[in-house]
Amino acid sequence: MEKQINSYLSPITNKKGVTLIEVLVAIVILSVGLTSVAMMQYMAVAGNAFGRETQIASELGQELLERMRSTPVRDDAGTVNSIFVAGTHPTSEDDIILQNPVGSGDADYDPVTRAGGMSFTRIWWVEDDCRSVAINDPIPTSLLCTPAPPGACAGSAGMNNVKALAVRVCWSDKNGSNHTVTLNGVKWDETATP
């Protein structure tokens, strides 16, 4: 019995516990890992938001392009509709012809559409007897809808009775960065004489 008591009272020489330094190292490693996971989550949320904004802008541009494709180039009197006059648009006449797809419908034309909590501006260019529109962007990082950069016919080969269309949707995200989506198409003037 005395031997057993002495073994309890003798100093412990073989310690098998965890030291404070080991615990601190484990906490540092855990915090670095959790910070990385939090940063990945933040980047995923930001990427999803940008993807949603780009999808909305693409849908708004496609909707306008399809509406233009379904609108006759000339009215009943044979006059070219204002939305197909060469140059940069929109104008107040365009708003009436397109049944107000982008504006507020009041006397002061407002080409801003609200979708998904963001403001999107749609503009378009038309070039006569052309296959595609080249948009001369002055500064790629600026909001490229206000003022609208000039457009021109891209390439030298023209096409009679074909109008090249380019639709651009611009928006600023919640961080103030400017973004654009540009879609191209053509519209054949079916009533024109060859």
Side-chain angles (χ1 to χ4, degrees):
M1 177 73 116
E2 189 176 312
K3 185 176 181 185
Q4 191 177 16
I5 294 174
N6 283 339
S7 68
Y8 289 120
L9 296 176
S10 65
I12 300 173
T13 56
N14 188 10
K15 299 179 185 179
K16 295 205 177 203
V18 179
T19 65
L20 183 60
I21 292 180
E22 290 171 330
V23 170
L24 290 175
V25 168
I27 289 173
V28 167
I29 292 172
L30 179 66
S31 65
V32 168
L34 290 176
T35 302
S36 300
V37 169
M39 188 61 111
M40 285 186 339
Q41 184 67 22
Y42 172 77
M43 292 174 69
V45 168
N48 286 341
F50 178 69
R52 180 182 59 82
E53 293 167 5
T54 304
Q55 178 185 2
I56 291 170
S58 297
E59 289 172 359
L60 289 170
Q62 187 66 34
E63 186 268 337
L64 180 59
L65 195 58
E66 291 301 323
R67 194 178 287 254
M68 290 175 70
R69 285 181 178 154
S70 66
T71 303
V73 173
R74 298 176 189 271
D75 61 15
D76 294 336
T79 309
V80 174
N81 282 323
S82 67
I83 62 170
F84 295 113
V85 173
T88 306
H89 297 269
T91 65
S92 57
E93 293 84 19
D94 299 334
D95 188 32
I96 296 166
I97 291 170
L98 291 172
Q99 290 115 25
N100 193 26
V102 294
S104 60
D106 56 12
D108 297 323
Y109 185 75
D110 179 17
V112 176
T113 299
R114 295 225 177 247
M118 304 292 298
S119 294
F120 297 87
T121 303
R122 298 191 285 191
I123 61 172
W124 67 93
W125 294 262
V126 177
E127 291 296 328
D128 290 334
D129 301 325
C130 184
R131 293 182 185 182
S132 65
V133 177
I135 303 166
N136 303 314
D137 294 323
I139 304 170
T141 57
S142 66
L143 187 58
L144 300 176
C145 285
T146 310
C153 186
S156 59
M159 295 180 71
N160 291 336
N161 303 324
V162 172
K163 296 187 177 288
L165 311 171
V167 175
R168 177 169 284 175
V169 181
C170 304
W171 76 98
S172 293
D173 63 16
K174 295 185 187 214
N175 297 326
S177 298
N178 297 320
H179 305 283
T180 62
V181 170
T182 305
L183 303 168
N184 293 302
V186 293
K187 174 72 176 169
W188 179 59
D189 185 358
E190 64 280 355
T191 61
T193 55

